[in-house]
């Protein structure tokens, strides 16, 4: 019978040679008592609780996280710029632009981790911008892949960019208020 082993200490910088046996002192499944099965299930629950199914990028050294952030951001912006070249083909445009946006927004997961990124995106300050951003990305893909309308795809992409800018401004203190006041002062002028 193959035994299950795991090494949580190596993830936290502990002794890498030390292994903890999941089955412990148990002989085999035919000789287990109900108490031993319960004990085994408790150990398995502890094992699952210690493992993260979402890769924790915070275990990477700071230099690697910065390289991952920069690479993801640059590749995302490159996809967005390259998508403008193929705008006349709505399928390629929609896929490339949305993929570039996902890479650019997801690049911050290298700095703060994917779980914290999701929490920040669902923060009450950013929930509307996130919902509009995700919704417009989906609408852009639908318009590009199924409707094949360049004009509707362009409108969805413009809304997506505006939502992304508004979402990004929520991280800078008082930036949203400054942009709002600037926009109001520009539109409030008499000609």
């Amino acid at each position: 019978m193959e035994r299950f082993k795991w090494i949580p200490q190596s993830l936290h910088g502990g002794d890498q040679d030390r292994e903890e046996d999941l089955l412990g002192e148990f002989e085999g499944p035919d000789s287990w008592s109900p108490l031993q099965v319960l004990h085994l299930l408790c150990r398995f629950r502890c094992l699952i609780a210690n493992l993260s199914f979402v890769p924790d990028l915070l275990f990477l050294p700071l230099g690697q996280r910065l390289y991952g952030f920069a690479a993801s951001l640059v590749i995302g912006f490159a996809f967005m710029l390259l998508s403008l070249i193929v705008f006349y083909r709505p399928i390629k445009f929609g896929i490339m632009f949305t993929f570039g946006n996902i890479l650019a927004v997801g690049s911050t997961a290298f700095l703060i981790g994917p779980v914290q990124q999701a929490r920040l995106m669902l923060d009450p300050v950013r929930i509307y911008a996130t919902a509009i951003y995700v919704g417009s990305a989906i609408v852009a893909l639908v318009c590009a892949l199924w409707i094949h309308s360049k004009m509707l795809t362009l409108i969805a992409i413009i809304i997506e960019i505006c939502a992304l800018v508004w979402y990004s401004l929520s991280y800078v203190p008082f930036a949203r208020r400054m942009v709002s006041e600037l926009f109001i002062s520009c539109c409030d002028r008499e000609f």
Side-chain angles (χ1 to χ4, degrees):
M1 182 176 120
E2 188 173 314
R3 301 177 71 118
F4 301 98
K5 295 182 180 186
W6 57 292
I7 310 172
Q9 292 82 10
S10 66
L11 295 176
H12 302 291
D15 185 16
Q16 294 193 8
D17 294 333
R18 184 177 168 211
E19 292 182 353
E20 186 174 328
D21 189 0
L22 178 63
L23 297 177
E25 65 280 349
F26 299 148
E27 299 293 322
D30 52 343
S31 65
W32 292 352
S33 70
L35 189 58
Q36 287 176 322
V37 171
L38 182 63
H39 181 69
L40 178 64
L41 289 175
C42 288
R43 282 181 144 184
F44 185 70
R45 192 177 118 228
C46 290
L47 168 70
I48 296 300
N50 287 334
L51 294 178
S52 174
F53 292 106
V54 177
D56 194 1
L57 300 173
L58 296 178
F59 283 126
L60 294 174
L62 180 63
Q64 289 180 354
R65 286 187 288 152
L66 289 176
Y67 285 139
F69 167 74
S72 181
L73 189 66
V74 167
I75 292 170
F77 283 142
F79 269 103
M80 286 189 278
L81 290 175
L82 289 174
S83 69
L84 297 176
I85 295 171
V86 294
F87 178 71
Y88 62 92
R89 294 184 172 171
I91 294 174
K92 288 183 180 181
F93 172 73
I95 291 172
M96 286 181 69
F97 191 83
T98 303
F99 184 65
N101 259 329
I102 290 170
L103 277 174
V105 169
S107 65
T108 55
F110 280 100
L111 298 178
I112 59 175
V115 174
Q116 184 66 19
Q117 171 76 19
R119 283 188 193 132
L120 289 174
M121 289 180 80
L122 299 176
D123 191 48
V125 174
R126 297 176 193 92
I127 188 72
Y128 296 118
T130 301
I132 292 170
Y133 171 73
V134 170
S136 61
I138 292 171
V139 167
L141 284 176
V142 166
C143 291
L145 297 173
W146 286 288
I147 299 175
H148 298 288
S149 171
K150 293 178 186 176
M151 187 55 79
L152 290 176
T153 304
L154 183 61
I155 291 170
I157 293 298
I158 290 171
I159 294 171
E160 186 177 340
I161 291 170
C162 291
L164 181 61
V165 167
W166 194 251
Y167 167 80
S168 300
L169 288 175
S170 70
Y171 287 100
V172 180
F174 305 109
R176 282 183 170 182
R177 186 169 56 175
M178 264 189 339
V179 169
S180 297
E181 290 174 3
L182 179 68
F183 186 72
I184 289 171
S185 68
C186 289
C187 294
D188 199 26
R189 296 190 182 201
E190 296 179 21
F191 293 101

